[in-house]
Amino acid sequence: EKAQAGLILENKGTIKNLIAGSAQGEAWDKTSAIKFAKDDIEASAAGLVAVNSGKILNVRNFARIDFNAKAAADAAVGGIAGALSGAGASVEDCLNGGSIGFSGTASGRAHQGGVLGANLSSAGALIQNCVNTGAVVKSNINQKEFSMGGVLARSNVSTTLKGCKNKGLVSYEASDAPGSYLHIGGVLGAGYSG
């Protein structure tokens, strides 16, 4: 199994009314960060919640999150959740104010989003009334396919994205484009279904 990084590694229930990375709930506390302990391990997801199969409601994250490990296929990083898994997962009324980085190496597809990295398997997922104000920045090259978005980087299955906003910087800096596809969007990087 691939490594994951998060305050919560996997959610199968309900997480609500949580504030992370801020003493007063308004700005980063200048110390809170989520990243992998070692950068030479193969990893799949990073976020306040690495993998969400349940409900996340009214959660605010200000901690910096960095995917600093070797990315497994379809690796994902996001401010609230790295990836969704399981039918009907949801992220509602959430705010990400933390910067989202991708400094690790990636030889396959990878996804970086302000609120959510990727929804590759949670058919019928709902992402509603979420806002990103954190910077979503990548500065290293990916050899296959890379997607990034201010709210959601990539969705492969039916996903409802409703009432969401991105107010943060989305930036990809590299001397060469990836070997296959590069998707960059202010709100959604790539949506293949739903």
Side-chain angles (χ1 to χ4, degrees):
E1 190 166 307
K2 309 298 187 262
Q4 299 172 344
L7 179 65
I8 300 165
L9 295 182
E10 186 171 6
N11 172 46
K12 293 184 177 182
T14 299
I15 299 170
K16 64 180 181 176
N17 303 328
L18 173 69
I19 297 173
S22 176
Q24 78 286 31
E26 300 287 327
W28 184 45
D29 62 16
K30 309 266 193 249
T31 58
S32 297
I34 294 172
K35 64 181 186 175
F36 294 94
K38 297 192 296 185
D39 61 8
D40 62 348
I41 58 173
E42 191 172 17
S44 62
L48 185 65
V49 178
V51 178
N52 178 46
S53 301
K55 296 178 188 246
I56 302 177
L57 308 169
N58 193 34
V59 168
R60 301 172 83 184
N61 173 58
F62 295 93
R64 289 185 172 181
I65 299 176
D66 184 25
F67 198 107
N68 61 315
K70 293 178 182 175
D74 279 317
V77 58
I80 301 297
L84 296 185
S85 176
S90 65
V91 180
E92 300 177 62
D93 303 312
C94 293
L95 167 74
N96 176 62
S99 64
I100 309 299
F102 202 113
S103 63
T105 58
S107 58
R109 286 193 308 200
H111 319 287
Q112 177 184 5
V115 174
L116 176 64
N119 180 20
L120 305 176
S121 63
S122 181
L126 174 64
I127 302 149
Q128 182 169 274
N129 300 330
C130 292
V131 177
N132 175 63
T133 60
V136 181
V137 177
K138 178 171 173 36
S139 58
N140 63 325
I141 189 98
N142 182 61
Q143 297 304 315
K144 189 175 179 189
E145 183 174 352
F146 191 79
S147 56
M148 63 191 312
V151 174
L152 171 62
R154 181 177 176 132
S155 177
N156 281 3
V157 294
S158 60
T159 303
T160 299
L161 187 61
K162 184 177 179 181
C164 296
K165 296 177 185 177
N166 174 51
K167 298 178 179 181
L169 171 71
V170 178
S171 173
Y172 180 97
E173 298 176 21
S175 57
D176 296 306
S180 184
Y181 295 100
L182 175 62
H183 312 278
I184 301 173
V187 173
L188 173 66
Y192 285 97
S193 179

